[in-house]
Amino acid sequence: MSDFREGRPSLPYMPALDGIRAVAVTSVVLGHFGVPGFSLGGGFGVDVFFVLSGYLITRIILGQIAENKPLSEFYWNRFTRLFPPLLLVCTSLFLLPPSLLTNWDAFLNSFGALTYVTNWTRAFPTYGAPSFTAHTWSLSVEEQFYLAWPVTVYLASRWLPNVRTAIFGVTATSLIWFGLLIYINASVDHIYNGFDGRCPAILLGACLAALPNLKCPAPLAVVSFLAYLFMVLTQKWHPFAALILWTLTLPIIVYARDAASVGPLAKLLRLRPIIYLGVISYAVYLWHFPFYYLLGEKLHMGAIPTGILGISLTLILSVLTQIFVENPVRRLRYAIGPSSRQNTGCGIAIWTLLALAGGLVFFYGGFV
């Protein structure tokens, strides 16, 4: 769920991409809260996020390489963008009474989310796996991608005459592996939550970053968008459906990134309320599931009260998170000097890798 608002003129802000975020997060939230029509395939919104994230992140990386910026600055930017809101949500879990969530369970939920191992605790279920923060599995997938992909692209840009060769080659390899997972009858939990099962979606988006001049005619984008809505409303997630969804997302992104795009879909994605929902989509995603789990699974309030109250609280706290957490951190991001950002970014990358390893050892090493 990356963002073009990084303060770099070489990466212009594209409002329609926030429109895509809004559509995706709406599908996910309505699906989790069991809104009729979305409860079946709302999770496809996460697939859209993955493809879009692959495009945005790879374009940021290629831009930094072109400007001879160190990778450590990338990690600093990602950390200041993603970690503070996540830490806020995890900290809020300790405010719940022990009858709803003990401090130990709050710790397990927070530890799983903050060490980015939730996807693996869902792919291969283990005792103590997060519940209130189970939705952070997708953040775990992306964070694991952030650890590997920038280094891969950076090395490819140094060792290969054309970095596209590496991007396309890694993408093709990941798709072959995805097909192998299906062939060997890997569990749906593994394919749905595992990094290896989700990496193809992110890498397909990365391919778009390697094709900046690619255009998409408006009719193809509209048909793809309508097909996405059809799948959300009628299809349950399974690997083949996901592959179709990833393919449908590609022309929508190509169309949305083109400032010259016109037509009903372009106007829809650039509506101010839609754009704003896309801007706060990360906070919306973080807050919505704890409220769903609290109201629906713990308090058993019923579908309608859970949906109305949960979605309302989600939107309120998401706006507050953007105003009082995300915006101030974004303004302070460049308050420290370049060398400090780079040194801190390097430390963050190492810390994240160690945290990931520690989280896996903790949950699967018999410490829970």
Side-chain angles (χ1 to χ4, degrees):
M1 305 172 189
S2 46
D3 194 347
F4 269 123
R5 296 181 176 182
E6 300 288 342
R8 291 187 291 273
S10 59
L11 296 178
Y13 174 58
M14 302 176 181
L17 296 181
D18 269 328
I20 294 177
R21 281 196 184 96
V23 173
V25 79
T26 298
S27 301
V28 173
V29 172
L30 296 184
H32 278 150
F33 279 102
V35 175
F38 289 87
S39 58
L40 189 64
F44 282 120
V46 177
D47 293 272
V48 174
F49 273 125
F50 281 140
V51 180
L52 180 59
S53 182
Y55 165 68
L56 293 173
I57 288 302
T58 305
R59 189 173 176 196
I60 289 173
I61 296 169
L62 292 175
Q64 289 196 321
I65 291 174
E67 297 172 3
N68 292 316
K69 290 185 177 180
L71 288 180
S72 54
E73 190 147 329
F74 167 84
Y75 290 110
W76 166 253
N77 290 336
R78 289 300 87 203
F79 177 82
T80 55
R81 169 73 177 96
L82 301 175
F83 194 79
L86 176 61
L87 180 62
L88 174 64
V89 171
C90 289
T91 302
S92 70
L93 297 178
F94 290 90
L95 300 177
L96 294 174
S99 59
L100 295 176
L101 186 68
T102 66
N103 284 338
W104 174 245
D105 286 332
F107 167 78
L108 291 177
N109 276 272
S110 300
F111 189 75
L114 296 173
T115 58
Y116 300 107
V117 298
T118 312
N119 65 316
W120 294 118
T121 63
R122 285 168 53 99
F124 303 101
T126 182
Y127 181 75
S131 53
F132 277 83
T133 60
H135 65 311
T136 61
W137 71 269
S138 62
L139 308 183
S140 300
V141 169
E142 291 205 22
E143 194 65 31
Q144 291 156 27
F145 180 79
Y146 296 158
L147 288 173
W149 188 236
V151 177
T152 301
V153 176
Y154 180 84
L155 293 178
S157 70
R158 296 296 186 270
W159 295 346
L160 298 177
N162 192 334
V163 71
R164 292 180 183 177
T165 304
I167 294 176
F168 296 155
V170 174
T171 302
T173 302
S174 72
L175 287 169
I176 293 172
W177 178 258
F178 183 78
L180 181 62
L181 290 176
I182 298 173
Y183 178 76
I184 66 175
N185 291 318
S187 70
V188 175
D189 284 342
H190 177 186
I191 298 175
Y192 187 90
N193 298 284
F195 172 77
D196 51 342
R198 290 302 192 156
C199 204
I202 307 176
L203 288 170
L204 283 171
C207 290
L208 295 183
L211 300 169
N213 297 320
L214 187 65
K215 302 293 183 181
C216 175
L220 176 58
V222 171
V223 170
S224 298
F225 184 77
L226 293 176
Y228 163 75
L229 294 179
F230 175 80
M231 291 189 67
V232 168
L233 297 174
T234 65
Q235 300 296 311
K236 186 178 180 180
W237 194 96
H238 58 84
F240 290 110
L243 186 59
I244 295 172
L245 196 284
W246 303 339
T247 305
L248 293 173
T249 305
L250 296 175
I252 300 174
I253 293 175
V254 172
Y255 177 77
R257 73 179 179 182
D258 186 355
S261 295
V262 295
L265 181 57
K267 292 179 180 179
L268 172 66
L269 295 177
R270 292 172 185 151
L271 288 174
R272 286 189 177 273
I274 300 294
I275 291 174
Y276 183 71
L277 180 57
V279 169
I280 65 171
S281 61
Y282 178 55
V284 169
Y285 185 80
L286 286 178
W287 283 113
H288 88 279
F289 193 82
F291 280 123
Y292 156 73
Y293 197 82
L294 172 64
L295 301 175
E297 300 296 325
K298 289 291 187 178
L299 298 178
H300 306 290
M301 291 183 60
I304 294 178
T306 294
I308 294 175
L309 183 58
I311 293 174
S312 299
L313 290 173
T314 294
L315 292 175
I316 292 171
L317 283 180
S318 297
V319 171
L320 293 176
T321 300
Q322 189 217 16
I323 295 173
F324 295 108
V325 178
E326 293 182 277
N327 287 345
V329 171
R330 182 178 288 117
R331 288 192 293 267
L332 292 172
R333 181 179 296 164
Y334 296 100
I336 65 176
S339 60
S340 296
R341 292 199 303 269
Q342 293 161 15
N343 292 335
T344 306
C346 184
I348 287 169
I350 296 172
W351 172 84
T352 304
L353 184 61
L354 293 176
L356 175 62
L360 291 173
V361 170
F362 178 79
F363 279 103
Y364 291 99
F367 294 95
V368 180

